[in-house]
Amino acid sequence: TAVPPDPPNNIFTFVSPNGSNYKTPYILNDPNNFEDGLSVSNAVWESIAVAVTKDGYPVVAYIDAATRSLRLARSKSKQPTSSGDWTIQKVLDSSDKNGKNASDYINACVDSDGHLHIAFQNTRGQLVYVKSTNTSNDGQTKYAFGASEVLDDSGMFIDMTMDGTTPYITYMSRPNSYDAIRIAYKTA
């Protein structure tokens, strides 16, 4: 049985990428950081994904469980240290067939041209894919996205990597079934 260290050695310290220490993580709750009429959500889902732009700025894709919509947090700093470094935006319009039914299992990657790719599971259990139509290499520019696409009727435990501009998405179709592990890639 592990024995915890004596105080004060059992205090968890957060370390920023720039090496500075702080006692608690910051919260993205500044109303000035939200675009598209969004506000702070009290129901962020369990699944999130982080990617880094071509120029080294982090972007975080996540699901707002209250609205079942995808959100994206763009950092305007390579080493964000406060909530003021972030801007929150929508990924899909509510008119998109998957705009209000994001459910679980999300992954995101930036390709060699700087476009952001996101794969997620919708409320019907389907594997969904969306790609940005522009780039935001320094976090200042709002991403725009094309229409979402359903790639498979079942998709969970999603992982994605890029080879240039080609996304390779691995996922489970249906656990404990024949050929449950699948891979999808998009070339156009």
Side-chain angles (χ1 to χ4, degrees):
T1 305
V3 178
D6 293 329
N9 297 328
N10 63 351
I11 298 171
F12 191 78
T13 300
F14 296 88
V15 179
S16 293
N18 68 4
S20 64
N21 295 336
Y22 52 97
K23 293 196 183 293
T24 60
Y26 52 86
I27 300 170
L28 302 179
N29 63 357
D30 184 340
N32 297 319
N33 295 4
F34 290 83
E35 297 177 338
D36 305 320
L38 298 175
S39 60
V40 175
S41 174
N42 62 356
V44 175
W45 206 245
E46 299 131 358
S47 190
I48 62 171
V50 65
V52 179
T53 69
K54 285 175 42 173
D55 293 342
Y57 292 78
V59 292
V60 178
Y62 65 98
I63 298 170
D64 176 0
T67 62
R68 295 271 185 205
S69 62
L70 288 178
R71 289 187 176 192
L72 184 67
R74 308 182 318 268
S75 176
K76 297 173 285 219
S77 171
K78 288 183 179 181
Q79 298 179 340
T81 58
S82 74
S83 62
D85 292 332
W86 297 89
T87 302
I88 315 300
Q89 72 166 81
K90 287 181 184 177
V91 174
L92 298 171
D93 289 329
S94 57
S95 61
D96 185 284
K97 62 185 173 188
N98 291 294
K100 288 192 163 233
N101 70 353
S103 173
D104 228 340
Y105 308 110
I106 187 170
N107 207 306
C109 286
V110 175
D111 69 27
S112 60
D113 287 342
H115 292 95
L116 180 63
H117 301 252
I118 301 173
F120 65 97
Q121 182 189 58
N122 67 17
T123 55
R124 292 182 292 282
Q126 297 168 320
L127 175 65
V128 181
Y129 168 82
V130 64
K131 176 185 172 184
S132 69
T133 57
N134 67 332
T135 63
S136 182
N137 293 328
D138 63 1
Q140 299 291 331
T141 304
K142 179 181 173 181
Y143 280 101
F145 290 89
S148 67
E149 301 177 57
V150 173
L151 302 182
D152 200 339
D153 65 347
S154 180
M156 53 194 347
F157 305 109
I158 299 165
D159 197 10
M160 181 169 35
T161 191
M162 301 300 301
D163 182 16
T165 60
T166 304
Y168 285 84
I169 305 166
T170 57
Y171 59 100
M172 295 283 293
S173 173
R174 289 184 179 84
N176 302 318
S177 66
Y178 181 73
D179 289 337
I181 300 171
R182 296 189 178 174
I183 185 168
Y185 60 94
K186 188 163 181 70
T187 57

